[in-house]
Amino acid sequence: QVQLVESGGGLAQAGGSLRLSCAASGGTFSSYEMGWFRHAPGKEQEFVVSISTSAGSIYYLDSVKGRFTISRDNAKNTVYLQMNSLKPDDTAVYYCAARTLAMTPNWGYWGKGTLVTVSS
């Protein structure tokens, strides 16, 4: 069983930056595709970005392309989300997720989320 713990959320001004981290334990991190999702108030949860096991494939939500960067450190069992040029629309609870190839297209493991608030 994989446990995922997000950190790094908080309050930022529009145009500012935050870096989220997701630490994984209980599994073989390097075998998991990792992803970030977000859930804004009054909206449905949406996919933000994913990164393959070797970081060879990365997919971004169009609205975050060029502003957000995902990376992973398999030696530290951690995935990161660098968020720059933040906008108020980025305000949401951000969730880390993990899945194996067998779980695709579903995401089998989820963190509890970290709140990101962007003020205008």
Side-chain angles (χ1 to χ4, degrees):
Q1 192 75 5
V2 175
Q3 292 80 43
L4 304 173
V5 179
E6 303 94 336
S7 61
L11 177 64
Q13 290 189 333
S17 298
L18 285 173
R19 188 194 195 202
L20 306 184
S21 299
C22 172
S25 61
T28 305
F29 180 76
S30 60
S31 68
Y32 291 94
E33 180 182 7
M34 301 300 297
W36 287 96
F37 292 74
R38 66 186 181 186
H39 193 179
K43 298 182 180 180
E44 293 191 355
Q45 185 182 62
E46 66 178 350
F47 166 85
V48 177
V49 60
S50 65
I51 185 168
S52 62
T53 55
S54 62
S57 295
I58 295 175
Y59 301 98
Y60 289 98
L61 177 69
D62 283 347
S63 62
V64 307
K65 284 181 181 177
R67 300 190 298 119
F68 290 11
T69 302
I70 191 171
S71 61
R72 65 188 296 160
D73 186 336
N74 286 345
K76 294 183 177 180
N77 292 351
T78 302
V79 63
Y80 305 98
L81 183 63
Q82 178 67 44
M83 305 187 296
N84 299 329
S85 302
L86 283 164
K87 303 176 180 180
D89 282 350
D90 295 320
T91 295
V93 177
Y94 283 73
Y95 296 91
C96 175
R99 67 183 178 187
T100 63
L101 185 61
M103 294 175 179
T104 305
N106 299 314
W107 292 84
Y109 303 105
W110 294 85
K112 293 184 177 181
T114 185
L115 177 62
V116 171
T117 303
V118 183
S119 63
S120 58

